Amino acid sequence: MSRKSQLSGKGPITGNNRSHALNATRRRWNVNLQKATILVDGKPTKVKLTARELRTLRKNAQ
């Protein structure tokens, strides 16, 4: 199961950890995925969304 949002397709980004001696080791920043049930075509569907997308959906539902 990939760590991607099913709505926007956002996934993790990669970069380096940097020590004080400037040693570089690879690392990744994962997206904040949450499981939520939303209505798609009038039917409840379970999806994996980022926390920001979930906030936006709740804000626009009002």
Side-chain angles (χ1 to χ4, degrees), residues 2-26:
S2 66
R3 295 196 51 89
K4 282 198 172 208
S5 168
Q6 292 177 327
L7 192 62
S8 67
K10 285 186 179 184
I13 59 173
T14 59
N16 288 323
N17 272 332
R18 284 290 180 165
S19 68
H20 290 291
L22 294 183
N23 297 335
T25 56
R26 298 302 286 177

PDB file of all heavy atoms in Angstrom, residues 2-26:
ATOM      1  N   SER A   2       0.755   2.062  -1.022  1.00  0.00           N
ATOM      2  CA  SER A   2       1.621   3.228  -1.117  1.00  0.00           C
ATOM      3  C   SER A   2       1.121   4.335  -0.205  1.00  0.00           C
ATOM      4  O   SER A   2      -0.060   4.426   0.115  1.00  0.00           O
ATOM      5  CB  SER A   2       1.666   3.723  -2.553  1.00  0.00           C
ATOM      6  OG  SER A   2       0.403   4.201  -2.940  1.00  0.00           O
ATOM      7  N   ARG A   3       2.040   5.185   0.203  1.00  0.00           N
ATOM      8  CA  ARG A   3       1.687   6.315   1.053  1.00  0.00           C
ATOM      9  C   ARG A   3       1.364   7.517   0.178  1.00  0.00           C
ATOM     10  O   ARG A   3       2.128   8.477   0.103  1.00  0.00           O
ATOM     11  CB  ARG A   3       2.820   6.632   2.028  1.00  0.00           C
ATOM     12  CG  ARG A   3       3.060   5.510   3.015  1.00  0.00           C
ATOM     13  CD  ARG A   3       3.874   5.946   4.193  1.00  0.00           C
ATOM     14  NE  ARG A   3       3.369   7.137   4.835  1.00  0.00           N
ATOM     15  CZ  ARG A   3       2.473   7.165   5.824  1.00  0.00           C
ATOM     16  NH1 ARG A   3       1.962   6.048   6.265  1.00  0.00           N
ATOM     17  NH2 ARG A   3       2.108   8.294   6.362  1.00  0.00           N
ATOM     18  N   LYS A   4       0.223   7.424  -0.524  1.00  0.00           N
ATOM     19  CA  LYS A   4      -0.228   8.500  -1.392  1.00  0.00           C
ATOM     20  C   LYS A   4      -1.678   8.816  -1.090  1.00  0.00           C
ATOM     21  O   LYS A   4      -2.456   7.943  -0.748  1.00  0.00           O
ATOM     22  CB  LYS A   4      -0.116   8.092  -2.862  1.00  0.00           C
ATOM     23  CG  LYS A   4       1.271   8.166  -3.401  1.00  0.00           C
ATOM     24  CD  LYS A   4       1.242   8.175  -4.902  1.00  0.00           C
ATOM     25  CE  LYS A   4       2.626   8.438  -5.411  1.00  0.00           C
ATOM     26  NZ  LYS A   4       2.650   9.088  -6.687  1.00  0.00           N
ATOM     27  N   SER A   5      -2.013  10.068  -1.263  1.00  0.00           N
ATOM     28  CA  SER A   5      -3.393  10.491  -1.110  1.00  0.00           C
ATOM     29  C   SER A   5      -4.185  10.004  -2.320  1.00  0.00           C
ATOM     30  O   SER A   5      -3.746  10.146  -3.458  1.00  0.00           O
ATOM     31  CB  SER A   5      -3.467  12.005  -1.019  1.00  0.00           C
ATOM     32  OG  SER A   5      -4.805  12.433  -1.149  1.00  0.00           O
ATOM     33  N   GLN A   6      -5.356   9.441  -2.073  1.00  0.00           N
ATOM     34  CA  GLN A   6      -6.186   8.956  -3.169  1.00  0.00           C
ATOM     35  C   GLN A   6      -6.907  10.097  -3.867  1.00  0.00           C
ATOM     36  O   GLN A   6      -7.379   9.934  -4.987  1.00  0.00           O
ATOM     37  CB  GLN A   6      -7.195   7.936  -2.648  1.00  0.00           C
ATOM     38  CG  GLN A   6      -6.546   6.646  -2.190  1.00  0.00           C
ATOM     39  CD  GLN A   6      -7.550   5.677  -1.604  1.00  0.00           C
ATOM     40  OE1 GLN A   6      -8.529   6.077  -0.988  1.00  0.00           O
ATOM     41  NE2 GLN A   6      -7.295   4.406  -1.796  1.00  0.00           N
ATOM     42  N   LEU A   7      -6.981  11.256  -3.238  1.00  0.00           N
ATOM     43  CA  LEU A   7      -7.681  12.381  -3.833  1.00  0.00           C
ATOM     44  C   LEU A   7      -6.750  13.231  -4.702  1.00  0.00           C
ATOM     45  O   LEU A   7      -7.025  13.467  -5.869  1.00  0.00           O
ATOM     46  CB  LEU A   7      -8.301  13.241  -2.730  1.00  0.00           C
ATOM     47  CG  LEU A   7      -9.298  14.295  -3.162  1.00  0.00           C
ATOM     48  CD1 LEU A   7     -10.501  13.643  -3.818  1.00  0.00           C
ATOM     49  CD2 LEU A   7      -9.738  15.108  -1.967  1.00  0.00           C
ATOM     50  N   SER A   8      -5.621  13.631  -4.147  1.00  0.00           N
ATOM     51  CA  SER A   8      -4.724  14.530  -4.886  1.00  0.00           C
ATOM     52  C   SER A   8      -3.495  13.825  -5.449  1.00  0.00           C
ATOM     53  O   SER A   8      -2.817  14.375  -6.305  1.00  0.00           O
ATOM     54  CB  SER A   8      -4.260  15.669  -3.978  1.00  0.00           C
ATOM     55  OG  SER A   8      -3.429  15.153  -2.952  1.00  0.00           O
ATOM     56  N   GLY A   9      -3.175  12.630  -4.947  1.00  0.00           N
ATOM     57  CA  GLY A   9      -1.982  11.930  -5.416  1.00  0.00           C
ATOM     58  C   GLY A   9      -0.697  12.383  -4.749  1.00  0.00           C
ATOM     59  O   GLY A   9       0.388  11.987  -5.164  1.00  0.00           O
ATOM     60  N   LYS A  10      -0.799  13.223  -3.723  1.00  0.00           N
ATOM     61  CA  LYS A  10       0.395  13.672  -3.025  1.00  0.00           C
ATOM     62  C   LYS A  10       1.055  12.498  -2.314  1.00  0.00           C
ATOM     63  O   LYS A  10       0.388  11.683  -1.705  1.00  0.00           O
ATOM     64  CB  LYS A  10       0.058  14.745  -1.990  1.00  0.00           C
ATOM     65  CG  LYS A  10      -0.238  16.085  -2.567  1.00  0.00           C
ATOM     66  CD  LYS A  10      -0.408  17.100  -1.469  1.00  0.00           C
ATOM     67  CE  LYS A  10      -0.682  18.458  -2.060  1.00  0.00           C
ATOM     68  NZ  LYS A  10      -0.754  19.477  -1.021  1.00  0.00           N
ATOM     69  N   GLY A  11       2.380  12.446  -2.394  1.00  0.00           N
ATOM     70  CA  GLY A  11       3.128  11.381  -1.743  1.00  0.00           C
ATOM     71  C   GLY A  11       4.304  11.944  -0.977  1.00  0.00           C
ATOM     72  O   GLY A  11       4.453  13.159  -0.840  1.00  0.00           O
ATOM     73  N   PRO A  12       5.167  11.063  -0.459  1.00  0.00           N
ATOM     74  CA  PRO A  12       6.308  11.527   0.320  1.00  0.00           C
ATOM     75  C   PRO A  12       7.350  12.218  -0.559  1.00  0.00           C
ATOM     76  O   PRO A  12       7.433  11.959  -1.762  1.00  0.00           O
ATOM     77  CB  PRO A  12       6.867  10.240   0.932  1.00  0.00           C
ATOM     78  CG  PRO A  12       6.391   9.154   0.045  1.00  0.00           C
ATOM     79  CD  PRO A  12       5.097   9.600  -0.531  1.00  0.00           C
ATOM     80  N   ILE A  13       8.113  13.116   0.051  1.00  0.00           N
ATOM     81  CA  ILE A  13       9.244  13.729  -0.635  1.00  0.00           C
ATOM     82  C   ILE A  13      10.518  13.272   0.062  1.00  0.00           C
ATOM     83  O   ILE A  13      10.489  12.859   1.227  1.00  0.00           O
ATOM     84  CB  ILE A  13       9.148  15.270  -0.668  1.00  0.00           C
ATOM     85  CG1 ILE A  13       9.088  15.853   0.728  1.00  0.00           C
ATOM     86  CG2 ILE A  13       7.954  15.717  -1.479  1.00  0.00           C
ATOM     87  CD1 ILE A  13       9.169  17.366   0.756  1.00  0.00           C
ATOM     88  N   THR A  14      11.622  13.310  -0.662  1.00  0.00           N
ATOM     89  CA  THR A  14      12.879  12.808  -0.113  1.00  0.00           C
ATOM     90  C   THR A  14      13.898  13.924  -0.040  1.00  0.00           C
ATOM     91  O   THR A  14      13.789  14.944  -0.708  1.00  0.00           O
ATOM     92  CB  THR A  14      13.444  11.668  -0.982  1.00  0.00           C
ATOM     93  OG1 THR A  14      13.658  12.160  -2.295  1.00  0.00           O
ATOM     94  CG2 THR A  14      12.500  10.481  -1.016  1.00  0.00           C
ATOM     95  N   GLY A  15      14.895  13.700   0.799  1.00  0.00           N
ATOM     96  CA  GLY A  15      15.974  14.665   0.965  1.00  0.00           C
ATOM     97  C   GLY A  15      17.070  14.047   1.800  1.00  0.00           C
ATOM     98  O   GLY A  15      17.198  12.823   1.875  1.00  0.00           O
ATOM     99  N   ASN A  16      17.852  14.880   2.438  1.00  0.00           N
ATOM    100  CA  ASN A  16      18.972  14.408   3.245  1.00  0.00           C
ATOM    101  C   ASN A  16      18.818  14.821   4.692  1.00  0.00           C
ATOM    102  O   ASN A  16      18.332  15.910   4.987  1.00  0.00           O
ATOM    103  CB  ASN A  16      20.290  15.010   2.739  1.00  0.00           C
ATOM    104  CG  ASN A  16      20.724  14.428   1.425  1.00  0.00           C
ATOM    105  OD1 ASN A  16      20.547  13.247   1.177  1.00  0.00           O
ATOM    106  ND2 ASN A  16      21.295  15.262   0.575  1.00  0.00           N
ATOM    107  N   ASN A  17      19.237  13.928   5.614  1.00  0.00           N
ATOM    108  CA  ASN A  17      19.536  14.333   6.974  1.00  0.00           C
ATOM    109  C   ASN A  17      20.926  14.938   6.944  1.00  0.00           C
ATOM    110  O   ASN A  17      21.817  14.397   6.290  1.00  0.00           O
ATOM    111  CB  ASN A  17      19.554  13.133   7.915  1.00  0.00           C
ATOM    112  CG  ASN A  17      18.210  12.810   8.479  1.00  0.00           C
ATOM    113  OD1 ASN A  17      17.362  13.677   8.621  1.00  0.00           O
ATOM    114  ND2 ASN A  17      18.022  11.554   8.822  1.00  0.00           N
ATOM    115  N   ARG A  18      21.126  16.038   7.626  1.00  0.00           N
ATOM    116  CA  ARG A  18      22.449  16.656   7.683  1.00  0.00           C
ATOM    117  C   ARG A  18      22.908  16.712   9.132  1.00  0.00           C
ATOM    118  O   ARG A  18      22.221  17.276   9.982  1.00  0.00           O
ATOM    119  CB  ARG A  18      22.412  18.075   7.112  1.00  0.00           C
ATOM    120  CG  ARG A  18      22.353  18.138   5.620  1.00  0.00           C
ATOM    121  CD  ARG A  18      23.654  17.686   5.031  1.00  0.00           C
ATOM    122  NE  ARG A  18      23.615  17.750   3.574  1.00  0.00           N
ATOM    123  CZ  ARG A  18      24.691  17.679   2.825  1.00  0.00           C
ATOM    124  NH1 ARG A  18      25.867  17.518   3.359  1.00  0.00           N
ATOM    125  NH2 ARG A  18      24.571  17.722   1.520  1.00  0.00           N
ATOM    126  N   SER A  19      24.089  16.157   9.403  1.00  0.00           N
ATOM    127  CA  SER A  19      24.653  16.233  10.743  1.00  0.00           C
ATOM    128  C   SER A  19      25.468  17.522  10.867  1.00  0.00           C
ATOM    129  O   SER A  19      25.640  18.266   9.904  1.00  0.00           O
ATOM    130  CB  SER A  19      25.550  15.026  11.008  1.00  0.00           C
ATOM    131  OG  SER A  19      26.705  15.100  10.192  1.00  0.00           O
ATOM    132  N   HIS A  20      25.987  17.759  12.061  1.00  0.00           N
ATOM    133  CA  HIS A  20      26.834  18.944  12.254  1.00  0.00           C
ATOM    134  C   HIS A  20      28.105  18.856  11.411  1.00  0.00           C
ATOM    135  O   HIS A  20      28.669  19.879  11.031  1.00  0.00           O
ATOM    136  CB  HIS A  20      27.188  19.113  13.730  1.00  0.00           C
ATOM    137  CG  HIS A  20      26.010  19.515  14.553  1.00  0.00           C
ATOM    138  ND1 HIS A  20      25.405  20.742  14.452  1.00  0.00           N
ATOM    139  CD2 HIS A  20      25.302  18.838  15.490  1.00  0.00           C
ATOM    140  CE1 HIS A  20      24.393  20.808  15.296  1.00  0.00           C
ATOM    141  NE2 HIS A  20      24.300  19.668  15.941  1.00  0.00           N
ATOM    142  N   ALA A  21      28.552  17.627  11.133  1.00  0.00           N
ATOM    143  CA  ALA A  21      29.734  17.444  10.291  1.00  0.00           C
ATOM    144  C   ALA A  21      29.366  17.422   8.802  1.00  0.00           C
ATOM    145  O   ALA A  21      30.203  17.104   7.962  1.00  0.00           O
ATOM    146  CB  ALA A  21      30.437  16.137  10.662  1.00  0.00           C
ATOM    147  N   LEU A  22      28.101  17.762   8.502  1.00  0.00           N
ATOM    148  CA  LEU A  22      27.566  17.811   7.135  1.00  0.00           C
ATOM    149  C   LEU A  22      27.554  16.443   6.450  1.00  0.00           C
ATOM    150  O   LEU A  22      27.593  16.371   5.228  1.00  0.00           O
ATOM    151  CB  LEU A  22      28.303  18.844   6.273  1.00  0.00           C
ATOM    152  CG  LEU A  22      28.108  20.300   6.694  1.00  0.00           C
ATOM    153  CD1 LEU A  22      28.831  21.224   5.736  1.00  0.00           C
ATOM    154  CD2 LEU A  22      26.649  20.663   6.771  1.00  0.00           C
ATOM    155  N   ASN A  23      27.508  15.347   7.238  1.00  0.00           N
ATOM    156  CA  ASN A  23      27.280  14.033   6.648  1.00  0.00           C
ATOM    157  C   ASN A  23      25.839  13.987   6.149  1.00  0.00           C
ATOM    158  O   ASN A  23      24.933  14.502   6.805  1.00  0.00           O
ATOM    159  CB  ASN A  23      27.475  12.917   7.677  1.00  0.00           C
ATOM    160  CG  ASN A  23      28.897  12.867   8.190  1.00  0.00           C
ATOM    161  OD1 ASN A  23      29.820  13.310   7.507  1.00  0.00           O
ATOM    162  ND2 ASN A  23      29.078  12.350   9.391  1.00  0.00           N
ATOM    163  N   ALA A  24      25.652  13.373   4.993  1.00  0.00           N
ATOM    164  CA  ALA A  24      24.318  13.309   4.403  1.00  0.00           C
ATOM    165  C   ALA A  24      23.845  11.867   4.362  1.00  0.00           C
ATOM    166  O   ALA A  24      24.538  10.994   3.853  1.00  0.00           O
ATOM    167  CB  ALA A  24      24.334  13.886   2.993  1.00  0.00           C
ATOM    168  N   THR A  25      22.679  11.606   4.926  1.00  0.00           N
ATOM    169  CA  THR A  25      22.022  10.309   4.796  1.00  0.00           C
ATOM    170  C   THR A  25      20.619  10.569   4.276  1.00  0.00           C
ATOM    171  O   THR A  25      19.994  11.571   4.610  1.00  0.00           O
ATOM    172  CB  THR A  25      21.953   9.557   6.141  1.00  0.00           C
ATOM    173  OG1 THR A  25      21.295  10.376   7.092  1.00  0.00           O
ATOM    174  CG2 THR A  25      23.340   9.192   6.639  1.00  0.00           C
ATOM    175  N   ARG A  26      20.122   9.667   3.445  1.00  0.00           N
ATOM    176  CA  ARG A  26      18.818   9.870   2.810  1.00  0.00           C
ATOM    177  C   ARG A  26      17.694   9.721   3.827  1.00  0.00           C
ATOM    178  O   ARG A  26      17.761   8.897   4.724  1.00  0.00           O
ATOM    179  CB  ARG A  26      18.620   8.859   1.673  1.00  0.00           C
ATOM    180  CG  ARG A  26      19.643   8.981   0.556  1.00  0.00           C
ATOM    181  CD  ARG A  26      19.665  10.342  -0.086  1.00  0.00           C
ATOM    182  NE  ARG A  26      18.521  10.558  -0.949  1.00  0.00           N
ATOM    183  CZ  ARG A  26      18.289  11.706  -1.583  1.00  0.00           C
ATOM    184  NH1 ARG A  26      19.104  12.732  -1.439  1.00  0.00           N
ATOM    185  NH2 ARG A  26      17.231  11.836  -2.340  1.00  0.00           N
TER     186      ARG A  26
END
